[in-house]
């Protein structure tokens, strides 16, 4: 047999080491960020008290005449409501679009729509915010006769559109992967095509669809730029037509002027930690779903 | 023919784009009999079978001329309710294709599609269909289990049960035993033989022994032509066409 040359062997070993290094680097980044967030996030929580921090309803970090308050419940609830709203609107629209693309649309139309979805995915979030600010906010203001249209509702609408591309892409892919045999079986039993898509295709693609939803949740809960411009950025307890502040936007809006070493700045890091934990949970859920799909 | 005709095919032609896959097929398929379709790979057996319940409608670029009459009515006439055609003419595929849901939901899928929601009625249909498909005893305690957790042979019989649950007149089978072991195949063959009291069976098979064993009638296809159609006896013992003889005696390339 032909022997592998020692030079080839060296190259192999070198490449292996390089790949290993890249892998370790990635893990290193994740570890660094986690450790740093925990170290930076804990002191403020210790000072404020975990309960008061998580469940306090008032945030007045810069109060001077009274004691400053650091309750982030308004932010947590706003983030949850905003994400839930985006999912409630974005998932049905996204699923129907994916169904249309994967099963119903003639190839040419599907091609055009898919290109549009890619484009939508590529638009920077600040542009979503700008358009929301110029178009959506005044419209909500007029429609509901509010003093300001910058509300949770506006943020939900913007987020719904932002989560669409991801939901459509993942759901489209998993619907396309549904074995044609399932659909043929249904049609051969006398079911209509539409009935087949709803009763069989969606069911067969369910783990992919669940993954799509989780991805959408992750995207919505982590978004800051687009929604800070349309949500009014006031630390109210959330109401659909109130100006609100999210966990992300709370950090963005105060970090620029919070004094180094102040409790305010530390509290912002603590918000970051809470947000990080939320996103961790979503990712674990996502991994579970992917694992479920493989088995 | 000694029995009533249930499917009457006349001058059927089918093109996939430019490819002329079925050429001027005419045949009368008798009711309550097993008709086997045989012929070398690519000769158009599946295509022909799928024209009988209009499954070829799903394929892009198909063109069909001629007529197929089911109990005297042309299933390709305009305004025909295609879903109703498929309800009356059921199909079992080569590969078991149960839905990823429980056995019960699989079998009840067809009846539910056609508007039956009454739980007792569904229970009755599921039980009857599973018994008809000779698999009731094996699965009666596991109706809630996911159907994909059963063996290939069991799944194929469950597919047959699912087809029977909509009470079709005709059951089309496309090489439905080709992926099974001899015992499962034997079970399904017995099943077909019993089914013909209530149903008409039309089956594609590559297994010559199988065709000899169970078919009452047999059609031999070659390159899109129907070369010979007659009783199983005639095709296998006394073929009229030399090409048929060559094929059934295994002297065919
Ligand atoms: N969807 C399709 N589009 C285009 N051509 C097709 C399609 N399905 C079948 N054909 C062609 O039509 C001819 C008949 O195919 P068919 O599947 O009916 O053969 P068959 O007799 O069932 O063969 P086998 O025994 O291998 O299953 C073949 O030449 C095949 O390539
Ligand atoms: Mg075939």
């Amino acid at each position: 047999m032909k022997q592998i040359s020692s030079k080839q062997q060296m190259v192999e070993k070198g490449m292996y080491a390089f790949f290993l290094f890249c892998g370790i680097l990635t893990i290193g980044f994740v570890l660094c960020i986690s450790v740093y967030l925990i170290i930076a996030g804990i002191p403020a929580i210790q000072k404020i008290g975990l309960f008061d921090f998580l469940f306090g309803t008032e945030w007045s970090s810069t109060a001077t005449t009274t004691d400053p308050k650091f309750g982030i419940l308004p932010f947590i609830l706003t983030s949850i409501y905003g994400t839930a709203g985006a999912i409630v609107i974005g998932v049905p629209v996204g699923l129907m679009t994916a169904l249309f693309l994967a099963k119903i649309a003639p190839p040419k139309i599907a091609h055009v729509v898919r290109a549009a979805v890619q484009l939508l995915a590529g638009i920077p979030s600040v542009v979503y915010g700008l358009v929301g600010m110029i178009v959506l906010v005044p419209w909500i203001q007029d429609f509901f006769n509010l003093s300001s249209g910058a509300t949770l509702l506006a943020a939900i609408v913007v987020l719904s559109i932002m989560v669409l591309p991801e939901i459509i892409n993942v759901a489209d892919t998993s619907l396309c992967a549904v074995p044609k045999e399932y659909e043929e079986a249904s049609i051969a039993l006398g079911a209509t095509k539409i009935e087949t898509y709803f009763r069989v295709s969606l069911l067969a693609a369910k783990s992919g669809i669940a993954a799509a939803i989780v991805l959408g949740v992750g995207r919505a809960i982590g978004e800051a730029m687009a929604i800070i411009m349309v949500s009014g950025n006031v630390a109210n307890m959330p109401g659909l037509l109130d100006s609100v502040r999210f966990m992300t936007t709370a950090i963005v809006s105060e970090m620029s002027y919070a004094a180094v070493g102040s409790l305010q700045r530390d509290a912002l890091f603590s918000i970051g930690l809470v947000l990080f934990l939320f996103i961790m949970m979503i990712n674990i859920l996502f991994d579970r779903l992917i694992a479920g799909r493989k088995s | 023919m000694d029995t009533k005709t249930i499917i009457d095919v006349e001058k059927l032609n089918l093109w996939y784009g430019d490819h002329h896959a079925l050429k001027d097929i005419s045949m009368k398929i008798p009711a309550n009999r097993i008709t086997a379709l045989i012929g070398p790979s690519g000769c158009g057996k599946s295509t022909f079978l799928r024209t009988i319940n209009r499954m070829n409608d799903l394929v892009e670029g198909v063109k069909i001329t001629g007529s197929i009459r089911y109990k005297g009515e042309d299933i390709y006439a305009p305004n025909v309710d295609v879903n109703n055609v498929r309800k009356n003419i059921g199909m079992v595929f080569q590969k078991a294709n149960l839905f990823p849901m429980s056995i019960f939901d699989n079998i009840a899928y067809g009846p539910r599609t056609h508007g039956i929601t009454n739980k007792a009625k569904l229970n009755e249909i599921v039980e009857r269909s599973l018994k008809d498909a000779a698999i009731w005893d094996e699965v009666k305690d596991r109706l809630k289990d996911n159907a994909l957790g059963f063996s290939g042979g069991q799944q194929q019989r469950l597919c047959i049960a699912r087809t029977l649950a909509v009470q079709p007149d005709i059951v089309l089978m496309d090489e439905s035993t080709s992926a099974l072991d001899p015992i499962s195949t034997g079970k399904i063959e017995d099943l077909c033989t019993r089914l013909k009291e209530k149903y008409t069976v039309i089956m594609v098979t590559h297994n010559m022994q199988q065709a000899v064993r169970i078919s009452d009638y047999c059609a031999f296809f070659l390159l899109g032509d129907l070369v010979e159609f007659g009783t199983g006896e005639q095709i296998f013992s006394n073929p009229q066409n030399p090409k048929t003889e060559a094929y059934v005696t295994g002297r065919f390339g």
Side-chain angles (χ1 to χ4, degrees), chain B residues 45-47 94 174-175 204 206:
Chain B
K45 305 176 298 291
S46 299
T47 302
Q94 176 170 12
D174 193 349
E175 297 183 54
V204 171
H206 273 291

Side-chain angles (χ1 to χ4, degrees), chain B residues 48-247:
Chain B
F48 175 68
L49 198 72
R50 291 164 64 94
T51 56
I52 300 176
N53 68 342
R54 292 193 57 169
M55 287 302 281
N56 280 323
D57 293 15
L58 305 182
V59 180
E60 289 275 313
V62 164
K63 193 179 139 223
I64 297 170
T65 65
S67 73
I68 295 184
R69 271 195 287 280
Y70 161 65
K71 291 186 171 168
E73 303 208 20
D74 186 359
I75 61 168
Y76 281 94
N79 303 328
V80 163
D81 177 356
V82 183
N83 299 317
N84 197 47
V85 169
R86 297 190 185 124
K87 178 173 181 279
N88 290 322
I89 307 176
M91 181 163 219
V92 180
F93 297 81
Q94 176 170 12
K95 231 178 85 205
N97 53 0
L98 293 166
F99 305 126
M101 42 175 103
S102 71
I103 290 191
F104 186 93
D105 289 337
N106 262 284
I107 311 296
Y109 185 93
R112 282 180 176 143
T113 298
H114 301 291
I116 297 173
T117 50
N118 181 299
K119 183 78 186 159
K121 180 94 178 115
L122 284 175
N123 281 334
E124 181 201 317
I125 293 174
V126 169
E127 182 172 343
R128 174 182 48 73
S129 310
L130 290 170
K131 279 181 174 160
D132 276 356
I135 191 163
W136 171 251
D137 289 330
E138 286 161 71
V139 301
K140 64 171 183 275
D141 303 320
R142 299 168 67 187
L143 296 182
K144 294 262 174 308
D145 290 9
N146 190 312
L148 302 185
F150 288 80
S151 79
Q154 286 173 324
Q155 289 197 25
Q156 196 59 287
R157 276 178 293 148
L158 288 169
C159 285
I160 294 175
R162 182 178 63 185
T163 301
L164 299 183
V166 293
Q167 295 192 281
D169 271 337
I170 302 176
V171 179
L172 308 175
M173 296 190 177
D174 193 349
E175 297 183 54
S176 300
T177 61
S178 66
L180 302 181
D181 66 279
I183 293 175
S184 304
T185 301
K187 282 186 182 166
I188 290 179
E189 287 177 10
D190 289 346
L191 182 60
C192 292
T193 314
R194 278 189 300 103
L195 286 180
K196 67 183 182 184
E197 290 177 16
K198 293 199 222 170
Y199 309 90
T200 302
V201 178
I202 306 173
M203 59 160 39
V204 171
T205 179
H206 273 291
N207 180 335
M208 220 45 65
Q209 272 72 43
Q210 179 171 63
V212 172
R213 275 195 302 270
I214 67 171
S215 70
D216 301 301
Y217 291 86
C218 189
F220 172 57
F221 285 80
L222 190 61
L223 296 171
D225 286 308
L226 174 61
V227 176
E228 189 166 351
F229 177 53
T231 61
E233 177 82 20
Q234 177 197 325
I235 299 288
F236 293 109
S237 313
N238 187 22
Q240 307 295 305
N241 189 305
K243 287 181 199 155
T244 314
E245 186 180 7
Y247 185 73

